[in-house]
């Protein structure tokens, strides 16, 4: 490919990306008002042909994003001072000046704490609603006004907290991945014998996927999008690295205890555990259509759960 399409670039790291100006008629939109007027995003691909294909789709999504923003502009009063609307829920308000001897200090401190709490609660509500919207429609199909309608907040408030729909989506993905990672970290596996700890890890992974089908849908949609919306986010990489470290530490401990065989790849073991837990959720409806069997039949779930535990323990045993 001799010439790249318009708005497609190759970055210094060799990855294909897009570089596009925000249309002037959208400069007043809360999503772009305080940001650079040039949008730069990476496809994560180094192969030019694949990168251009992803970049073309990204540009199409961006045009759809611009179109949605134009519709939202109609509903936003351009004379309205957004700072007035968002100030009461500022999650980190500036420190007020006061005399150390003043009897108003406790009241002001309590006020700051209350505002932070309300701001964090608002942020959590937005994330929860956005997770439902993105899981159902993906990034391109989701609407910010639909997310706002699920909460007691407004679209300008959502932009205030997250900056843009794409940043909100990234925060939702981190929240989704973080849920299972947090559960793993709270297990305190180091207090259990290695074999019992491995059993507990598999149980929790199986249960989390079953209890959070929205997580499975989000990951499925992002894979359809070839992972382009989360590629390159170091925070996601670091957070999920914990999962491999947990399995690696558990395998090493099992080797020392003499119950696990050496040479097991922790990444592959994590993949084995996750894939079974994931597929019984992601393929529920196609499996039922093809085999006329419901993977979520309550009578079958205990046997399914015990089967993956047994498979993993047989695989790792010395």
């Amino acid at each position: 490919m001799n010439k790249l399409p318009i708005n497609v670039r190759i970055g210094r790291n060799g990855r294909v990306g897009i570089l596009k100006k925000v249309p002037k008629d959208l400069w007043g939109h809360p999503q772009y008002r305080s940001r650079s007027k040039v949008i730069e995003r990476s496809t994560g691909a180094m192969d030019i042909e694949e990168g251009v294909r992803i970049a073309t789709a990204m540009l199409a999504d961006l045009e759809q994003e611009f179109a949605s923003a134009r519709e939202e502009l109609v509903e936003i009063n351009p004379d309205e001072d957004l700072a007035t609307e968002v100030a009461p829920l500022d999650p980190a308000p500036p420190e007020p000046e006061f005399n150390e001897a003043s009897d108003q200090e406790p009241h002001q401190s309590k006020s700051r704490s209350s505002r932070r709490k309300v701001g964090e609660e608002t942020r959590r509500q937005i994330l929860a609603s956005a997770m439902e919207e993105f899981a159902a429609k993906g990034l391109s199909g989701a609407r910010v006004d639909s997310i706002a309608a699920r909460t007691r907040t407004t679209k300008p408030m959502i932009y205030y907290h997250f900056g843009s729909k794409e940043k909100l989506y990234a925060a939702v993905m981190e929240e989704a991945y973080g849920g299972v990672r947090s559960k793993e970290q709270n297990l305190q596996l180091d207090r259990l014998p290695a074999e019992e700890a491995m059993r507990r890890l598999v149980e929790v992974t199986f249960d989390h996927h079953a209890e959070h089908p929205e997580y499975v849908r989000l990951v499925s949609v992002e894979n359809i999008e070839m992972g382009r919306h989360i590629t390159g986010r170091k925070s996601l990489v670091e957070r999920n690295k914990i999962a491999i470290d947990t399995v690696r530490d558990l395998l090493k401990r099992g080797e020392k205890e003499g119950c696990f065989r050496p040479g097991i790849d922790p990444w592959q073991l994590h993949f084995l555990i996750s894939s079974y837990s994931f597929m019984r959720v992601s393929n529920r409806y196609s499996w039922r259509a093809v085999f006329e069997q419901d993977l979520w039949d309550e009578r079958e779930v205990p046997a399914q759960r015990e089967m993956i535990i047994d498979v993993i323990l047989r695989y790792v045993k010395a």
Side-chain angles (χ1 to χ4, degrees):
M1 184 172 293
N2 298 326
K3 187 177 180 181
L4 293 174
I6 189 171
N7 298 126
V8 177
R9 301 286 187 273
I10 297 179
R12 294 179 180 178
N13 58 6
R15 299 183 187 278
V16 179
I18 63 172
L19 190 68
K20 186 172 178 63
K21 293 181 180 179
V22 177
K24 285 188 177 181
D25 63 314
L26 294 177
W27 286 8
H29 191 285
Q31 184 172 348
Y32 308 109
R33 184 177 298 168
S34 60
R35 298 170 58 196
S36 167
K37 299 304 183 287
V38 176
I39 294 178
E40 186 175 5
R41 297 173 184 170
S42 173
T43 65
M46 299 188 72
D47 178 80
I48 294 180
E49 185 175 347
E50 179 186 6
V52 168
R53 186 171 63 253
I54 298 174
T56 301
M58 290 176 70
L59 288 167
D61 289 344
L62 193 56
E63 290 297 339
Q64 187 172 358
E65 178 183 310
F66 290 157
S68 296
R70 287 190 180 94
E71 292 179 13
E72 292 162 359
L73 264 180
V74 176
E75 303 173 24
I76 298 175
N77 184 350
D79 297 324
E80 180 180 348
D81 183 0
L82 293 180
T84 302
E85 180 179 357
V86 299
L89 294 181
D90 185 351
E95 295 290 331
E97 295 181 2
F98 55 83
N99 188 323
E100 291 184 0
S102 171
D103 60 1
Q104 292 182 348
E105 179 179 346
H107 172 74
Q108 290 174 333
S109 177
K110 183 178 180 180
S111 176
R112 291 197 302 272
S113 175
S114 176
R115 289 169 69 187
R116 290 192 187 98
K117 183 177 180 181
V118 171
E120 181 58 28
E121 287 177 355
T122 299
R123 191 175 186 278
R124 300 297 305 176
Q125 290 174 4
I126 293 171
L127 281 172
S129 298
M131 186 172 291
E132 294 180 11
E133 179 77 2
F134 287 131
K137 303 176 183 177
L139 175 59
S140 300
R143 295 291 301 275
V144 176
D145 55 353
S146 296
I147 295 171
R150 296 173 183 264
T151 66
R152 297 183 217 174
T153 189
T154 62
K155 289 185 290 184
M157 182 67 75
I158 293 175
Y159 289 129
Y160 172 75
H161 279 282
F162 294 95
S164 68
K165 186 170 78 167
E166 186 175 63
K167 288 182 179 179
L168 173 58
Y169 176 80
V172 165
M173 291 302 296
E174 292 204 28
E175 184 79 4
Y177 277 107
V180 66
R181 299 292 87 89
S182 295
K183 281 191 176 180
E184 292 167 354
Q185 293 304 296
N186 292 334
L187 289 177
Q188 298 181 323
L189 298 178
D190 55 336
R191 297 187 179 185
L192 301 173
E195 186 171 336
E196 185 178 344
M198 183 66 75
R199 166 180 280 274
R200 187 74 187 114
L201 178 63
V202 178
E203 287 174 345
V204 167
T205 303
F206 180 94
D207 292 344
H208 182 82
H209 284 76
E211 294 164 4
H212 296 278
E214 74 282 357
Y215 163 73
V216 175
R217 289 196 297 270
L218 278 169
V219 175
S220 297
V221 169
E222 184 59 17
N223 274 281
I224 292 173
E225 299 286 344
M226 304 176 81
R228 68 174 182 266
H229 303 300
I230 60 173
T231 297
R233 300 192 66 86
K234 292 184 179 179
S235 55
L236 269 176
V237 173
E238 290 301 316
R239 172 168 277 185
N240 285 281
K241 180 177 177 292
I242 297 173
I244 307 303
D245 291 340
T246 298
V247 176
R248 180 182 292 108
D249 293 343
L250 189 51
L251 287 171
K252 287 181 178 178
R253 187 151 60 87
E255 286 183 43
K256 290 181 179 179
E257 293 178 15
C259 58
F260 294 165
R261 62 185 176 86
I264 298 175
D265 185 331
W267 190 93
Q268 296 291 350
L269 183 60
H270 173 73
F271 174 66
L272 179 59
I273 298 170
S274 298
S275 59
Y276 179 88
S277 303
F278 190 97
M279 182 177 173
R280 68 174 296 275
V281 180
S282 66
N283 288 35
R284 176 189 180 185
Y285 299 106
S286 59
W287 188 274
R288 185 169 62 189
V290 173
F291 295 105
E292 297 182 340
Q293 182 175 353
D294 188 357
L295 291 172
W296 281 22
D297 188 327
E298 292 184 1
R299 297 168 297 179
E300 301 293 334
V301 173
Q304 294 172 355
R305 190 172 186 260
E306 195 59 36
M307 182 173 68
I308 185 60
I309 293 171
D310 187 49
V311 166
I312 297 301
L313 292 180
R314 285 172 181 267
Y315 178 74
V316 301
K317 277 188 178 180

